[in-house]
Amino acid sequence: MNGNMNENIVLPLVTVIIPTYNSEKYVIKTLESVRNQHYLNWEAVIVDDGSEDLTVQIIEEYIQNDSRFHFYRRNVEKKGGNVCRNLGIEYAKGTFLLFLDADDLLAPYCLEQRVKKISNTSLDLGVFNMYSFCLLYTSPSPRDRSLS
């Protein structure tokens, strides 16, 4: 034992579920925001609902060297984001789930703070503040600035 009391602590797995459909403009930034988490014990379950643009190719290329990403394609009649989220739940292995749309971003500390906040509770659901994807490209509104 080297004196590190935290060495035997097992951090809960967080599954980030991402439904996609024709998301080629945003999906790389979304996936980068997941990959850049300070909290490392996560998996991302991406479920595509039959994209007709380059979304599938972009995702397949981006995730090829990171086994934490799992990609599933629906090649049947389009059903929408909710069906993809439900499929993501079926594939999820995590203790905690986080739903993330393909045009959303996570701050690098997002999973770490959420796990810390919810781990020592008996809650079945946590609701947290989010920022808008468009804040990358526009000035934040007074309401958004107050959230920082």
Side-chain angles (χ1 to χ4, degrees):
M1 185 156 156
N2 65 11
N4 183 352
M5 294 176 58
N6 293 327
E7 69 185 29
N8 294 323
I9 295 175
V10 177
L11 299 173
L13 179 65
V14 177
T15 300
V16 180
I17 298 172
I18 308 169
T20 61
Y21 177 74
N22 290 348
S23 308
E24 68 181 10
K25 292 180 184 176
Y26 308 105
V27 72
I28 285 287
K29 292 291 187 192
T30 300
L31 298 178
E32 285 174 352
S33 79
V34 175
R35 182 175 275 162
N36 292 333
Q37 290 301 297
H38 297 164
Y39 187 87
L40 300 177
N41 197 23
W42 57 263
E43 67 171 353
V45 173
I46 307 157
V47 181
D48 186 74
D49 197 28
S51 288
E52 298 168 349
D53 63 0
L54 296 175
T55 299
V56 170
Q57 294 89 330
I58 290 168
I59 292 169
E60 287 176 340
E61 183 176 321
Y62 186 82
I63 70 171
Q64 66 185 345
N65 295 317
D66 192 333
S67 63
R68 297 174 296 178
F69 287 100
H70 310 284
F71 185 42
Y72 304 93
R73 295 172 62 187
R74 293 190 70 256
N75 292 321
V76 294
E77 178 185 351
K78 293 168 188 55
K79 295 285 187 172
N82 288 336
V83 168
C84 292
R85 286 181 197 91
N86 288 336
L87 286 170
I89 291 169
E90 290 180 28
Y91 297 128
K93 297 181 183 115
T95 302
F96 299 121
L97 305 178
L98 183 138
F99 297 104
L100 185 68
D101 287 340
D103 60 353
D104 290 343
L105 300 173
L106 297 179
Y109 50 80
C110 179
L111 296 182
E112 178 180 52
Q113 287 186 352
R114 289 177 184 206
V115 168
K116 189 181 299 183
K117 189 79 166 173
I118 203 167
S119 283
N120 297 319
T121 71
S122 59
L123 297 175
D124 291 326
L125 175 70
V127 178
F128 299 87
N129 289 334
M130 296 289 287
Y131 288 97
S132 170
F133 190 93
C134 68
L135 290 180
L136 286 177
Y137 306 105
T138 62
S139 299
S141 70
R143 180 191 168 282
D144 292 326
R145 282 193 294 271
S146 71
L147 296 175
S148 25

